[in-house]
Amino acid sequence: MKRSTLFLACCIGLMLFASCKKDPVAPTINVITDTGYATENTQIFSGDIIKVGFNATGEKLTKIEITLTQNGTVINSSQAAIENQTSYSHTATFTVEATGTVTVTGTVTDANGLNASKSFNIIYNEKPNAKFLGHYEGNALATGSMEAEITGIGAQPVHDEFTDREVPVILDLNGGENMNEVVGTCKINDREMTCKGTVDGNKLVFEAVNDVVTFEYNMGLMTINPEINVTYSIVGTLVENQLNLEGTCTGNGDLNYGLFSGTIKLESTVGGSLNKI
């Protein structure tokens, strides 16, 4: 065979070999939709835990990544390095303090530099109690009456009617165990106690708070201070950053001091506004 003919035959052989070589196949990736996994348009509350996952296949997988983005900004991510595997499942849990739409994207890359991705959206809703949390200060105004029926030598009955008597109030509210519950501390006239409430729309319905206050009774040459067991029943309505309070304060007590005895009764309505600071 002539040298030119041999050279031509070799070239043809190389061309045939090259044409038989397969192009690399791009990997694939799919969202895991098993029970317990977040999928398209899953709705959850801000701060709750979500679980997401993706299944990937390919010739030589090297990396898989899950990213959470909102308005084009990555707010969380998780990735795994893979050693040239043909299939891989990557799952991750995330806790995100967000509201609105968050996009979850899974991306897989292979040894040839090829990649594939899938995305879906989840919706983060604000927890019902979130807007109420924080520190509040202001005055409540009490209107009502104090009655004391007292017996004994020289004792005088007490009848005290009052209008818009200022009562300083400080509230520090935190999240409770349930998503629509708040717990915290309430300071009324410098007396601190625990409080708990349930959110209903823009209203915060407090559980009844029991307290003990003192009643001042002047007996002429001396003053005594019997105790009154009182109960506050309050509802707060949130308007922007102001918590408007309304409710009642009622109480009863006994007076026993030497030859003096009697009963004390308190009835009042309570209203006022606290500012969120």
Side-chain angles (χ1 to χ4, degrees):
M1 182 181 296
K2 294 183 179 179
R3 181 175 298 176
S4 59
T5 303
L6 178 61
F7 176 76
L8 179 61
C10 290
C11 290
I12 293 173
L14 290 172
M15 292 173 63
L16 289 174
F17 177 77
S19 64
C20 292
K21 186 177 180 181
K22 294 182 179 180
D23 292 331
V25 178
T28 63
I29 190 168
N30 291 290
V31 179
I32 297 177
T33 57
D34 296 345
T35 302
Y37 287 81
T39 55
E40 181 68 40
N41 290 327
T42 292
Q43 295 204 23
I44 61 173
F45 288 104
S46 176
D48 286 351
I49 297 174
I50 62 163
K51 184 178 181 180
V52 296
F54 292 86
N55 291 320
T57 59
E59 294 181 345
K60 294 181 179 181
L61 306 179
T62 57
K63 185 177 73 171
I64 187 169
E65 183 176 22
I66 300 174
T67 59
L68 272 60
T69 58
Q70 187 174 46
N71 299 323
T73 301
V74 176
I75 57 177
N76 218 324
S77 65
S78 174
Q79 66 177 26
I82 314 168
E83 295 182 358
N84 294 329
Q85 297 191 31
T86 56
S87 64
Y88 195 83
S89 296
H90 184 46
T91 63
T93 57
F94 298 99
T95 302
V96 176
E97 300 291 342
T99 55
T101 301
V102 172
T103 301
V104 181
T105 302
T107 303
V108 61
T109 305
D110 66 13
N112 297 309
L114 301 176
N115 59 62
S117 63
K118 279 284 177 68
S119 297
F120 64 90
N121 293 323
I122 57 177
I123 311 299
Y124 278 92
N125 297 307
E126 184 181 35
K127 286 187 177 181
N129 66 356
K131 54 183 173 288
F132 285 90
L133 307 186
H135 179 86
Y136 297 84
E137 292 186 13
N139 289 318
L141 301 176
T143 298
S145 64
M146 179 85 75
E147 302 280 353
E149 294 291 338
I150 302 171
T151 61
I153 299 175
Q156 296 292 326
V158 176
H159 177 76
D160 178 19
E161 291 188 2
F162 49 90
T163 302
D164 292 343
R165 182 174 292 174
E166 286 194 352
V167 181
V169 179
I170 297 175
L171 279 176
D172 282 295
L173 301 178
N174 303 300
E177 293 181 1
N178 301 316
M179 65 183 179
N180 64 338
E181 181 183 85
V182 298
V183 296
T185 59
C186 175
K187 185 180 287 187
I188 302 174
N189 271 332
D190 292 327
R191 285 182 59 83
E192 187 171 298
M193 60 202 81
T194 59
C195 61
K196 184 177 180 180
T198 303
V199 175
D200 182 9
N202 283 332
K203 291 187 180 297
L204 178 56
V205 181
F206 289 95
E207 291 186 359
V209 176
N210 298 316
D211 192 17
V212 177
V213 299
T214 56
F215 168 67
E216 184 176 292
Y217 178 60
N218 191 325
M219 298 193 303
L221 296 178
M222 63 184 301
T223 300
I224 61 174
N225 300 102
E227 294 182 338
I228 307 175
N229 298 310
V230 299
T231 300
Y232 299 97
S233 298
I234 304 294
V235 174
T237 303
L238 190 65
V239 180
E240 295 183 350
N241 287 323
Q242 192 172 70
L243 188 61
N244 299 319
L245 305 178
E246 60 179 349
T248 61
C249 175
T250 58
N252 293 278
D254 294 320
L255 184 153
N256 290 288
Y257 185 82
L259 299 176
F260 292 91
S261 64
T263 58
I264 307 166
K265 183 178 180 180
L266 168 67
E267 290 185 348
S268 70
T269 58
V270 178
S273 298
L274 308 181
N275 294 315
K276 193 172 187 178
I277 299 175

